[in-house]
Amino acid sequence: MVAEPGGPEDQKPQSDEARSAFVPPTGVGRRTSASEDDQPTSEFAIPAGLTTEPQGAGTGSASGSASGQTSGSDTIGSAFAPPRTYSAQHSPPAFTPAHGSPMIRLTKEAPWQDRMRTMLRMPVAERPAPEPVQRPDEAGPAVPRVLDLTLRIGELLLAGGEGAEDVEAAMFAVTRSYGLDRSEPTVTFTLLSISHQPSLVDDPVTASRTVRRRGTDYTRLAAVFRLIDDITTGDVEVSLEDAYRRLAEIRRNRHPYSGWVLTLAGGGLAGAASVLVGGGALVFVVAAIGAMLGDRLAWLCAGRGLPEFYQFVVAAMPPAALGVALTLTHWSDVRPSAVITGGLFALLPGRALVAGVQDGLTGFYITAAARLLEVMYLFIGIVVGVLLVLYLGVQLGAQLNPGTRFFAPDRPVVQILASMALCLAFAILLQQDRSTVLAVTLNGAVAWVIYGAMARTGHISPVLATATAAGLVGLFGQLFARYRYTSSLPFITAAIGPLLPGSATYFGLLGMAQGNVNAGLASLSTAVATALAIAIGVNLGSEISRLFMRVPGAVGGANRRAAKRTRGF
């Protein structure tokens, strides 16, 4: 017998295996709408039953329904647009840290170098609001022209030997003065670049320039610093046309000293250095002649297009050749060592060494590595030139005895005068302005007095004495520069001339020429240590000088922020 549908048999409960787990239980009504799996919704969609306010124009709504309501998934807005509930008059209080928000004071009492360096080390969001010093036109600043002017100024500074940190500060000062606040300059050894972003939603504008030729002219460097100081000063109005005109005049200006004057200055530097290490009047003359011959040969090689390495090789040969010739003629009144040492003083790349170490200490490692590599090549050129002559002299029977390592006799007055003459000649070689020559000469004399008092009288390590004297050179040079609102290089570079390791370099080369490699390497290591002591001392003295100056920063006299480094992790 078959049961009728709907009969008692049909009312029996089914077992769990015969019923799906997804079937609603008995007594629960079935939903009429589509299931959530069949019609998925965004987790950012507005829940059912919640209405939104109509959006006006400019709120970022893409479309609206007829009733003025729209779902969140249909709304497309800018990430940089303020929220619809934001009101400038009734805005909620912003969060303030417990220690308070620092207020940055960038007063004109501090030089522009320190003000710009302070802002470069700040995050972009914490920099003060831009206040253009040079008022742009109604259409706004001409971004390409400002960036081009900035790159040309940075090129002159970097080509003149200025440190990478100061070049970046100068470039940032120019762009900020003309109203381009969101600018980020980048400096390497031969490449300058700067990027400006008008706003967070605009594409950045980037420009670059390559430094192909480098020359030493501190008069031109000082003129560029005066231009930057006028641009960053609100009391002087410098338009873009005026800045371009002044920059062109700086480029066209001739060097203050001619080539023959530089040759005579090189001879005077070598002669003063030979007297400084124990020579007499005749040694002065011979060392000066050797240095001038080397300088003329280097000029000839430069005119033929030979690289600077070969110029140093050729320039190092005449002083060494004269020293060997004096030994072969058995002149007892002349110290050949003093003659060769004086010639080396005129060739040692102290300026590039100081700049390279300074860039490394301030965090510009690429530029520092390139500059130190340049110093190494120039030093190797000097080594090759002197070694060739010394090796030839040894083969000819010249009695060059490295055991006769001399120490200058105690004649402090003569040595102080010789150090001043050396600094004066060095300043002329650097094409310094005549107004800075006296200051750098006195700075070098003070450095030599400190070195003599510590190394000769106090019997302190010569390397430590050199570092201390170089620190005072950097300190006084930085103070002189801040007083005159100019670069510190004209007050520092020539003043370190008496401290250069000329004698240690010579005896190291002589030991290697005679086959005594261990003694030669030991003496060359002393020369390298002395050179590094000079560079580190100059940088440390420059940093210490900022303790005595009013530096912009947070309220309470906080100093500039240094770059935070990882300490081994």
Side-chain angles (χ1 to χ4, degrees), residues 59 61 75 141-142 144 150-151 183 201 263 266 277 291-292 316 341 366 369 371 423 426 429 469 478 522 542-543 562:
T59 58
S61 175
T75 303
T150 303
L151 290 174
S183 299
V201 295
T263 301
V277 295
M292 287 188 290
T341 301
I366 297 178
R371 282 182 166 171
C423 294
F426 205 169
L429 284 175
Q478 198 68 235
S542 300
E543 295 296 329

Side-chain angles (χ1 to χ4, degrees), residues 1 30 61 87 94 121 153 158 166 174 184 197 231 244 252 322 348 353 358 385 389 420 459 462 497 536 544 560:
M1 179 177 181
R30 186 182 299 272
S61 175
S87 174
R121 298 192 177 190
I153 290 177
L158 189 62
D166 291 329
V174 175
E184 291 296 335
Q197 189 171 12
I231 292 176
Y244 269 107
R252 286 196 301 264
L322 288 179
L348 292 177
L353 175 66
Q358 180 180 0
V389 177
M420 295 178 67
H459 302 288
I536 295 175
I544 291 176
R560 63 172 183 165

Side-chain angles (χ1 to χ4, degrees), residues 407-459:
F407 292 94
D410 292 333
R411 43 180 187 175
V413 177
V414 176
Q415 290 177 344
I416 292 174
L417 293 177
S419 65
M420 295 178 67
L422 191 153
C423 294
L424 176 63
F426 205 169
I428 295 176
L429 284 175
L430 295 174
Q431 300 280 3
Q432 288 193 199
D433 188 72
R434 292 177 175 84
S435 60
T436 63
V437 170
L438 178 60
V440 71
T441 301
L442 295 177
N443 199 10
V446 171
W448 180 256
V449 169
I450 297 300
Y451 171 79
M454 295 181 64
R456 303 292 175 81
T457 306
H459 302 288

Side-chain angles (χ1 to χ4, degrees), residues 299-386:
W299 277 92
L300 181 62
C301 294
R304 296 294 180 179
L306 288 179
E308 199 171 12
F309 174 83
Y310 300 104
Q311 298 175 28
F312 272 76
V313 172
V314 173
M317 287 183 174
L322 288 179
V324 171
L326 291 175
T327 304
L328 292 175
T329 55
H330 303 288
W331 280 32
S332 59
D333 297 336
V334 179
R335 290 177 179 264
S337 302
V339 174
I340 300 176
T341 301
L344 292 178
F345 264 86
L347 297 176
L348 292 177
R351 174 182 60 85
L353 175 66
V354 171
V357 174
Q358 180 180 0
D359 288 341
L361 294 177
T362 52
F364 295 86
Y365 299 113
I366 297 178
T367 307
R371 282 182 166 171
L372 292 178
L373 185 62
E374 180 190 29
V375 171
M376 185 188 72
Y377 273 106
L378 299 182
F379 188 77
I380 291 177
I382 298 173
V383 169
V384 171
V386 176

Side-chain angles (χ1 to χ4, degrees), residues 189-221:
F189 184 55
T190 58
L191 181 64
L192 297 169
S193 64
I194 187 168
S195 178
H196 169 69
Q197 189 171 12
S199 66
L200 293 175
V201 295
D202 293 330
D203 295 332
V205 181
T206 304
S208 61
R209 193 173 183 88
T210 303
V211 180
R212 302 193 182 277
R213 296 189 60 185
R214 296 190 304 275
T216 304
D217 189 344
Y218 284 177
T219 301
R220 179 179 296 176
L221 191 67

